[in-house]
Amino acid sequence: MNSLIPLLVAAPLAGAALLLLGGRALDRYGHWLATALAALSFGFGLALFSDMLGRDAEHRAVTEHLFSWIRVNGFQADVSFRLDQLSMTFVLLITGVGTLIHLYSVGYMAHDERRRRFFAYLNLFLAAMLLLVVADNYLLLYFGWEGVGLASYLLIGFWQHKPSAATAAKKAFIVNRVGDVGLSIAIMLMFAEFGSFAFDPVFGAAHEASEGKLTAIGLMLLLAACGKSAQVPLQSWLGDAMEGPTPVSALIHAATMVTAGVYLITRSATIFDLAPDAQTAVVVVGAVTLLFGAIVGCAKDDIKKALAGSTMSQIGYMVMAAGLGPIGYAFAIMHLVTHGFFKAGLFLGAGSVMHGMNDEVNMRHYGGLRKYMPVTFVTFGLGYLAIIGFPGLSGFFSKDKIIEAAFAKGGTEGWILGLCALVGAAITAFYMTRVMVLTFFGEKRWQPTGGTSGAAAGDDNLPHPHESPRTMTVPMVLLAVGSVFAGGLFAFNDSFLKWLEPVTGYEEGNSPLAPLTVTLLTTACMLAGVGVAYLMYGRSPVPVVAPVGSPLTRAARRDLLQDDFNHAVLVRPGSALAAALVFFDSRGLDGVVNGLAAAIGGLSGRLRRVQNGFVRSYALSMFGGTLVLVATTLLMRST
């Protein structure tokens, strides 16, 4: 059965290769081939999961060695795979949700001339992410890590004829390269300290390393996680990444790219547990980002960018939980999985709305769509209830556990983190209710496609919203089912906690509040957020053009000035440094070299005049030289 592990990666990788190299002969059915291979990888995952369930918890982790990749003296890199409870959870999420997104894309990309290439990139994305989570060492993980970055660049910029899409792809690629430097440095530090970068040798020897070295490794791993998971300070790429096709947004946010950082931190639990300062940094990054993303989501009128701010915030919850150590590792992954269901459903629902509204993304130009798109309304609504933590749905079980774990940290730190999580829950309910009301309720605010406004535009120029085809709605329905039931299934008898405990461990915290009290507080915050959003957007007409708003609102519309900050702190000083280096190189180094060359050239030119080819000139030179020698000799003798 272990031989199926490489096939998890091989199936979508083969699909990517076939679709990219097969030519136009595959245009007619290439999308179905890619979807079938994604489903095949999911089938392999289910078979391995069934086999894993048949073994005791302590013996469920298996490894499969394929070959030695690099072997030079003491340096050895193997292509080996590790499948345990943690990686299996990601395998099922990536392949299951990824297959549904493939199926949805069949309808969404039906009229795109480059659909075959798009599906090739989707398969490549799945293969890279699967390699990342089943790798048995950090170097192979890094290979998948870079593959995810490449695939995201290709997919975000898929419509590169749009300057905004091309710019967004470059931005995502460059920002992630900053994080990737952190991972590469961490791997080098591991090899220098432990003589290996395989998981078991590194984790086994970590107890013997100094806290300072482990802290350095942990901080570099955190930098890498911030890049892939769009956490402060490397979060600026995520909103712009919405320029890609909507299925790409769903895949990035639900099952692949942004979950990679949470996986990296959780997989490296041994290092972080032995480096308290690095662990504290993880908690701070998560807490700051969950509030940062939530505030940004409140001000966005673009439905996809509002959901992007939501993802940033929800991943912040996961990172914060992972930073809590054994108290929160399992709950971070639990929320990651439930988030995969409802966030994929929300993005696919947003794509369905765009499909029926002529690709309009401004929610101020929606309104009243529940009557015209009933399946989209119900599935999106269930995802909405799940993400705000409505009692009984998935987000209620997973996010509540993180809030409980935050309080269980104990002391002042526990109170601060718990209150941040509660405030985040209230803001989440606010911005998601705003999205729901602006899109599906209220009066029609539809705008003509041609840009003409007012009565002169006529009804013929207005969008004609309609329900999406079944290839799009069936995945939305299945994801809605997961949004409703997954959390309760995981929480029943602590099944998910017991599943991950052999890998992540678990410790009871010392919470000052009872679990029921935390639940009541979280529900109260959720209801408060819903109520405020309804009062602001549900009981009064919504202007088609956004009002100026408060300074905080204006800043949130600009992503809390993150791009301005990066431009002021990084881009301008970097440009000035580059200009100074260019000046020093051209006027300094090049000036010295060119000046020396010019001096030698000038001297050579003058000496060349002596060699004129006339014998009389040479004879005269010899006679002159002889006179100088005779005169010098006589002068020396006389003295």
Side-chain angles (χ1 to χ4, degrees):
M1 186 64 70
N2 293 358
S3 60
L4 291 181
I5 301 176
L7 297 180
L8 288 169
V9 181
L13 186 60
L18 286 172
L19 293 179
L20 289 173
L21 302 176
R24 296 189 178 277
L26 296 177
D27 282 352
R28 294 181 58 186
Y29 58 87
H31 48 287
W32 289 115
L33 175 63
T35 305
L37 288 171
L40 180 61
S41 186
F42 179 57
F44 291 146
L46 289 176
L48 289 164
F49 176 62
S50 177
D51 179 68
M52 184 176 287
L53 289 177
R55 299 193 298 273
D56 295 335
E58 293 76 13
H59 300 93
R60 284 175 173 168
V62 296
T63 58
E64 178 72 7
H65 175 77
L66 288 187
F67 57 89
S68 292
W69 180 13
I70 304 171
R71 181 180 295 175
V72 180
N73 292 333
F75 181 89
Q76 180 170 338
D78 295 330
V79 176
S80 297
F81 300 122
R82 179 189 187 93
L83 195 65
D84 56 19
Q85 291 91 324
L86 178 61
S87 53
M88 175 57 74
T89 301
F90 276 84
V91 164
L92 294 178
L93 175 68
I94 295 164
T95 57
V97 174
T99 299
L100 293 178
I101 293 173
H102 273 69
L103 180 61
Y104 177 94
S105 301
V106 172
Y108 191 87
M109 302 294 290
H111 303 293
D112 196 289
E113 297 179 353
R114 301 168 64 237
R115 180 168 62 170
R116 171 175 56 84
R117 184 176 294 273
F118 177 80
F119 275 87
Y121 295 159
L122 287 185
N123 268 193
L124 180 61
F125 214 160
L126 288 192
M129 188 65 190
L130 286 168
L131 178 62
L132 190 158
V133 299
V134 299
D136 189 41
N137 60 77
Y138 282 99
L139 190 61
L140 190 60
L141 180 151
Y142 185 79
F143 195 80
W145 190 272
E146 291 301 314
V148 168
L150 171 63
S152 67
Y153 169 77
L154 295 172
L155 286 168
I156 293 170
F158 183 75
W159 288 329
Q160 69 264 31
H161 59 275
K162 297 165 53 180
S164 57
T167 301
K170 289 185 289 185
K171 184 177 183 180
F173 192 81
I174 292 171
V175 173
N176 273 273
R177 294 294 72 72
V178 177
D180 295 351
V181 170
L183 182 54
S184 63
I185 293 175
I187 294 172
M188 289 183 242
L189 291 174
M190 289 176 195
F191 187 77
E193 178 67 19
F194 307 116
S196 176
F197 34 72
F199 293 152
D200 288 339
V202 169
F203 300 153
H207 296 80
E208 302 174 2
S210 67
E211 184 177 315
K213 292 179 180 178
L214 292 175
T215 299
I217 295 173
L219 291 176
M220 290 300 100
L221 292 174
L222 174 60
L223 179 62
C226 287
K228 279 290 184 288
S229 293
Q231 299 293 285
V232 172
L234 300 180
Q235 79 285 8
S236 61
W237 65 270
L238 190 62
D240 294 334
M242 299 304 98
E243 291 293 336
T246 300
V248 176
S249 304
L251 195 60
I252 287 176
H253 289 249
T256 55
M257 191 164 178
V258 297
T259 65
V262 182
Y263 171 80
L264 180 65
I265 295 172
T266 307
R267 175 59 76 189
S268 308
T270 302
I271 294 174
F272 284 101
D273 290 342
L274 296 172
D277 291 340
Q279 202 169 54
T280 300
V282 174
V283 171
V284 171
V285 166
V288 170
T289 307
L290 77 87
L291 294 175
F292 187 103
I295 293 171
V296 168
C298 292
K300 294 295 184 180
D301 293 329
D302 185 318
I303 186 171
K304 290 173 65 178
K305 290 190 176 183
L307 294 177
S310 169
T311 297
M312 193 186 304
S313 178
Q314 298 304 308
I315 298 294
Y317 273 104
M318 302 170 205
V319 171
M320 184 185 74
L324 296 173
I327 300 174
Y329 287 131
F331 301 135
I333 303 303
M334 179 177 173
H335 191 53
L336 185 149
V337 177
T338 59
H339 176 266
F341 285 112
F342 55 70
K343 185 51 62 70
L346 289 170
F347 266 109
L348 297 189
S352 181
V353 170
M354 293 165 57
H355 179 79
M357 292 292 290
N358 297 337
D359 291 327
E360 176 64 72
V361 296
N362 190 340
M363 294 183 292
R364 293 182 179 275
H365 298 169
Y366 292 163
L369 294 181
R370 69 186 187 279
K371 300 177 182 178
Y372 303 90
M373 310 179 73
V375 177
T376 301
F377 167 64
V378 172
T379 55
F380 193 97
L382 291 173
Y384 153 74
L385 293 174
I387 194 174
I388 68 172
F390 191 85
L393 276 73
S394 290
F396 169 79
F397 294 101
S398 58
K399 189 159 47 175
D400 271 26
K401 287 295 184 182
I402 292 179
I403 298 175
E404 289 178 21
F407 280 109
K409 183 68 174 176
T412 304
E413 182 183 354
W415 278 104
I416 294 174
L417 295 176
L419 291 175
C420 285
L422 286 175
V423 171
I427 302 176
T428 299
F430 173 84
Y431 69 70
M432 284 307 305
T433 302
R434 176 178 179 268
V435 170
M436 196 72 188
V437 170
L438 289 179
T439 303
F440 295 103
F441 294 91
E443 299 297 326
K444 303 176 184 177
R445 302 180 301 276
W446 309 344
Q447 298 298 297
T449 306
T452 306
S453 59
D459 292 341
D460 292 339
N461 291 329
L462 293 174
H464 297 281
H466 54 279
E467 193 55 87
S468 300
R470 289 186 179 180
T471 52
M472 295 172 65
T473 56
V474 169
M476 292 159 55
V477 171
L478 294 176
L479 290 169
V481 172
S483 300
V484 174
F485 297 109
L489 180 64
F490 293 159
F492 179 73
N493 198 28
D494 291 330
S495 57
F496 195 80
L497 177 61
K498 294 176 182 177
W499 165 257
L500 283 182
E501 188 174 359
V503 180
T504 62
Y506 178 68
E507 292 180 5
E508 290 281 353
N510 184 23
S511 176
L513 301 177
L516 179 59
T517 303
V518 176
T519 299
L520 292 176
L521 286 173
T522 306
T523 304
C525 289
M526 179 268 294
L527 293 175
V530 171
V532 172
Y534 176 74
L535 290 175
M536 291 182 63
Y537 299 98
R539 298 190 61 181
S540 57
V542 177
V544 175
V545 178
V548 176
S550 66
L552 178 59
T553 300
R554 296 196 297 272
R557 287 174 184 159
R558 297 176 60 184
D559 300 326
L560 291 180
L561 309 180
Q562 56 185 328
D563 285 332
D564 301 76
F565 176 83
N566 291 340
H567 192 75
V569 175
L570 300 175
V571 177
R572 286 182 180 174
S575 299
L577 177 61
L581 291 175
V582 169
F583 179 83
F584 176 72
D585 182 65
S586 60
R587 299 296 180 87
L589 296 178
D590 286 354
V592 172
V593 173
N594 294 336
L596 181 61
I600 294 175
L603 179 60
S604 300
R606 287 171 174 79
L607 290 175
R608 188 166 54 246
R609 295 175 183 175
V610 179
Q611 302 294 325
N612 56 18
F614 295 107
V615 176
R616 60 180 179 271
S617 298
Y618 298 154
L620 181 61
S621 299
M622 293 170 65
F623 179 72
T626 302
L627 289 179
V628 171
L629 288 174
V630 171
T632 303
T633 303
L634 292 175
L635 181 63
M636 291 178 65
R637 285 182 178 182
S638 64
T639 58

